[in-house]
Amino acid sequence: MANDKSPDTTSSTIVPPRMVRLDKSGTDDIECSLHLLPKPLMREFGHVFNDEYLKFGSDNSGDEVMSDAADADSSLRLLAIPTNQRAREDLVAVGDHIEQEKDRLLNVFISFGQYICDQLRAKGFWADYIDPCSGLPMISLNCNKVYSEVDGMECLLNYKAYNAGFCKILTHPKWGSAVYPATIFAHAPTDIVRTVIASLPAGATA
């Protein structure tokens, strides 16, 4: 919980980082956690998504889904689900093998992000995830502001970063710069999102 003194736990933490995977028999592990959206990220969230999360379901004709969301109205929160994957290569390096590894990590995250968003949206709650390549939302339309994954990980998880030329490089406390960050956002009750995350198979120990 938020009073845990672990360096990757901050005051916004609801569920601390844990390793999960979509496929129990697979090996594509993702570190994920759940956070209330802290004030420092509220402004950036507003720039990136505008008020798209408030429009979700306004013209949805699914009465059962909408009633579920309406029942939870008073407990709706803006939430962030930061994810990190351990890369097989140091992603600061360059070369075809680095690009291939980035493509692999991207595909793993897209499957993960789409699954989480599908689960929440099916329950009547807004969710979206950031394209790690562009920094733009994957589901919400008409959004053209870029989200900074590095800044987000610094704020949500207290992970460190350093400047390399014009780039800001994230460092994971265990994996260094062999890390691939990407974030999912939701407007939903914390218990609903917590349950979705808890339902995922556990990954290997980091």
Side-chain angles (χ1 to χ4, degrees), residues 78-89:
L78 282 173
L79 304 168
I81 307 170
T83 76
N84 288 283
Q85 294 179 72
R86 184 174 190 173
R88 297 169 182 168
E89 309 281 351

Side-chain angles (χ1 to χ4, degrees), residues 25-48:
S25 62
T27 58
D28 293 323
D29 291 351
I30 292 184
E31 177 194 82
C32 75
S33 52
L34 176 62
H35 304 255
L36 292 170
L37 200 64
K39 287 183 179 179
L41 283 186
M42 281 287 190
R43 182 179 177 85
E44 184 161 8
F45 177 89
H47 284 160
V48 173

